[in-house]
Amino acid sequence: MKTFNYSDLSAFDIKKLVQRNVDPANEVRSVVEDVITKVKEHGDSALLDFALKFDRVELHNLYLDKEELEAIAAAVTAEQKAALEIAYNNIYKFHAAQVKAEEKVETMPGVTCWREMRPIEKVGLYIPGGSAVLPSTFLMLGIPARIAGCHEIVVFSPPQKNGKVNAFIAYVALLLRIDRIYLAGGAQAIAAMAYGTESIAKVDKIFGPGNQFVTKAKTIIQSTTTTAIDMPAGPSEVLVIADESCNPAYVAADLLAQAEHGIDSQAILVCTSAKIAEEVLVEVEKQVPVLPRAEIVKQALENSYIVVTNTLDEAMQFSNAYAPEHLILSTANWQQQTANIINAGSVFLGNLTPESAGDYASGTNHTLPTSSYSRAYSGVSVDSFVKKITFQHITPDGIKNIGPSVEILAELEGLHAHKNAVSVRISPQTP
């Protein structure tokens, strides 16, 4: 991991340093556009072709039904089921608390306005496969979708070498009462949900993280179809802020936990002294060799770095510029810094709060904005799966109270039919 001194970095240096997952030559876009076009034109057959090309699996059916999912899920042990169920319950409890009816507001006598939630009818959930299979992501997306009351939930996950899905994903499907999983990954899965095929219904909104190809596909379909997306959620990342009160072994473990996601993941350490950086690097060297995914970790670390600052305030300034997906405050003084956090997807406070807890079972959602998109996006929640419709009702007294103002405003904008729609109610014409 390269080390930089914050005081030596110019504004331009910082801007360049915090950039990630750029596609200057449009190589990713070109591949993704070709995939989208083929799925749009050839539907199911294109998905079968891409399964053979990208997943090296010859599929005879594009989905697994409930009976097949039950058979696959039988391989999950009682201990594993219990862990998944604890995660399910904690995530459900946290997200269920987000459902709150809003009060009606009388903005002036006789004029009442309010909002009501309605579920998005058809949603698509993308559960990554790749180098790691993520049943936790299935929980993070499926639970708020169920709480919101979405009428149709379409699920996609890449096929494994046996043409099936992981047993844990199958078990989560049963927990979520989902009877079908489509076997497709990458940009082709996003295209299938956005346009629909012979056997797959077009959805209204697509959810789920993925690699650069998945993220690019989501951004393209959002601008070219009527299908919305949750957020740009690409390769995962963490930024750890550490001071003298940190435990270097914990910090190293947190960095490596992020790095093992994939070679394009990024793990950033921002610390208040060169001594902390050296101690963390020693721990990294100790921990890497025992990791089964050590080769992936090493490549991710080559894409990662350390920034040494003089103070926690400077560390927070860099963090806000980076706008991380995950932010860990490895300091005993985290209470003094939370108010300074402006850009972050999810925050982990103190030396005993690893990001892994949020990834799996604390209750918060781990589907979060990456690549600086936490400047403008929030993580997935129940709100992501609903629309909020505004209502208003005006009484006879209300139209008299508000009518004159509306008439004046409509007239100054030159919209006389708007004015008349009020005038006829205040002074009805006699036939």
Side-chain angles (χ1 to χ4, degrees):
M1 297 172 71
K2 294 180 181 178
T3 300
F4 303 90
N5 288 312
Y6 184 72
S7 57
D8 296 336
L9 297 173
S10 67
F12 178 80
D13 292 333
I14 292 173
K15 183 178 179 181
K16 187 176 180 181
L17 199 56
V18 302
Q19 269 194 330
R20 56 261 198 212
N21 302 317
V22 293
D23 183 28
N26 283 323
E27 294 174 1
V28 174
R29 174 176 281 274
S30 178
V31 171
V32 169
E33 285 178 339
D34 181 61
V35 168
I36 290 174
T37 297
K38 285 179 174 154
V39 172
K40 187 177 178 182
E41 292 177 354
H42 303 292
D44 288 352
S45 65
L47 294 178
L48 295 171
D49 290 344
F50 284 130
L52 190 59
K53 179 178 179 180
F54 295 131
D55 304 305
R56 295 181 174 82
V57 176
E58 185 175 0
L59 296 176
H60 301 290
N61 195 1
L62 276 174
Y63 63 86
L64 301 170
D65 60 20
K66 183 179 181 181
E67 186 176 341
E68 291 173 294
L69 292 171
E70 288 175 338
I72 296 169
V76 181
T77 68
E79 185 180 41
Q80 291 164 341
K81 287 180 180 178
L84 286 166
E85 287 164 9
I86 286 173
Y88 178 98
N89 290 333
N90 287 352
I91 297 164
Y92 193 98
K93 186 182 296 184
F94 179 77
H95 287 75
Q98 297 167 9
V99 181
K100 296 177 181 177
E102 297 182 15
E103 293 183 4
K104 294 182 178 180
V105 178
E106 189 173 52
T107 56
M108 65 189 308
V111 180
T112 306
C113 303
W114 69 97
R115 295 197 306 176
E116 294 183 11
M117 291 196 307
R118 298 290 185 272
I120 296 173
E121 292 187 282
K122 296 180 180 178
V123 297
L125 312 185
Y126 180 72
I127 315 303
S131 60
V133 180
L134 304 176
S136 56
T137 297
F138 201 176
L139 290 170
M140 297 290 177
L141 299 177
I143 289 171
R146 281 292 181 215
I147 292 172
C150 298
H151 300 163
E152 188 172 346
I153 302 174
V154 178
V155 180
F156 273 77
S157 194
Q160 295 189 303
K161 298 304 179 186
N162 62 0
K164 307 294 183 181
V165 294
N166 179 282
F168 308 117
I169 285 181
Y171 184 68
V172 171
L174 302 182
L175 286 177
L176 293 168
R177 305 187 314 281
I178 288 172
D179 297 336
R180 178 176 292 189
I181 293 179
Y182 288 97
L183 299 167
Q188 59 270 30
I190 304 303
M193 288 187 274
Y195 291 99
T197 70
E198 300 93 320
S199 61
I200 299 159
K202 177 187 183 305
V203 303
D204 299 313
K205 190 172 183 179
I206 296 172
F207 296 80
N211 59 22
Q212 291 187 60
F213 295 92
V214 169
T215 304
K216 184 66 70 175
K218 287 170 69 177
T219 56
I220 289 172
I221 66 95
Q222 181 174 234
S223 62
T224 58
T225 73
T226 57
T227 299
I229 66 170
D230 51 354
M231 74 193 85
S236 197
E237 62 202 31
V238 69
L239 187 147
V240 181
I241 292 178
D243 67 4
E244 289 72 14
S245 64
C246 79
N247 183 315
Y250 296 174
V251 173
D254 287 333
L255 295 171
L256 297 178
Q258 194 61 51
E260 76 172 345
H261 271 293
I263 62 173
D264 51 1
S265 293
Q266 201 168 52
I268 309 302
L269 171 61
V270 184
C271 54
T272 54
S273 74
K275 181 175 179 288
I276 297 170
E278 291 167 6
E279 291 173 345
V280 170
L281 285 175
V282 168
E283 289 294 334
V284 166
E285 291 298 322
K286 288 181 184 178
Q287 295 180 30
V288 167
V290 301
L291 297 174
R293 295 166 66 85
E295 289 308 311
I296 291 174
V297 168
K298 290 175 183 177
Q299 292 182 68
L301 290 179
E302 289 177 6
N303 187 42
S304 304
Y305 55 85
I306 299 171
V307 176
V308 178
T309 65
N310 292 316
T311 65
L312 280 177
D313 287 341
E314 285 184 350
M316 189 59 69
Q317 288 170 21
F318 184 85
S319 176
N320 284 326
Y322 185 88
E325 176 190 18
H326 305 100
L327 171 60
I328 300 175
L329 299 190
S330 293
T331 169
N333 301 314
W334 58 265
Q335 295 96 332
Q336 298 171 20
Q337 290 298 323
T338 53
N340 297 324
I341 299 169
I342 300 171
N343 302 318
S346 190
V347 183
F348 304 80
L349 303 170
N351 290 311
L352 295 178
T353 314
E355 183 228 318
S356 304
D359 270 354
Y360 291 109
S362 67
T364 61
N365 207 291
H366 79 198
T367 307
L368 303 163
T370 66
S371 304
S372 289
Y373 281 107
S374 66
R375 291 176 176 278
Y377 286 86
S378 305
V380 163
S381 66
V382 173
D383 283 350
S384 308
F385 290 89
V386 300
K387 305 162 293 181
K388 295 188 177 181
I389 303 171
T390 58
F391 294 81
Q392 49 260 296
H393 176 258
I394 299 176
T395 65
D397 285 340
I399 194 66
K400 292 176 183 176
N401 290 330
I402 199 172
S405 295
V406 175
E407 287 180 308
I408 292 168
L409 293 170
E411 188 168 20
L412 67 83
E413 291 190 351
L415 298 177
H416 295 282
H418 279 64
K419 175 186 177 183
N420 187 58
V422 173
S423 300
V424 296
R425 287 172 165 83
I426 296 176
S427 303
Q429 297 179 357
T430 304

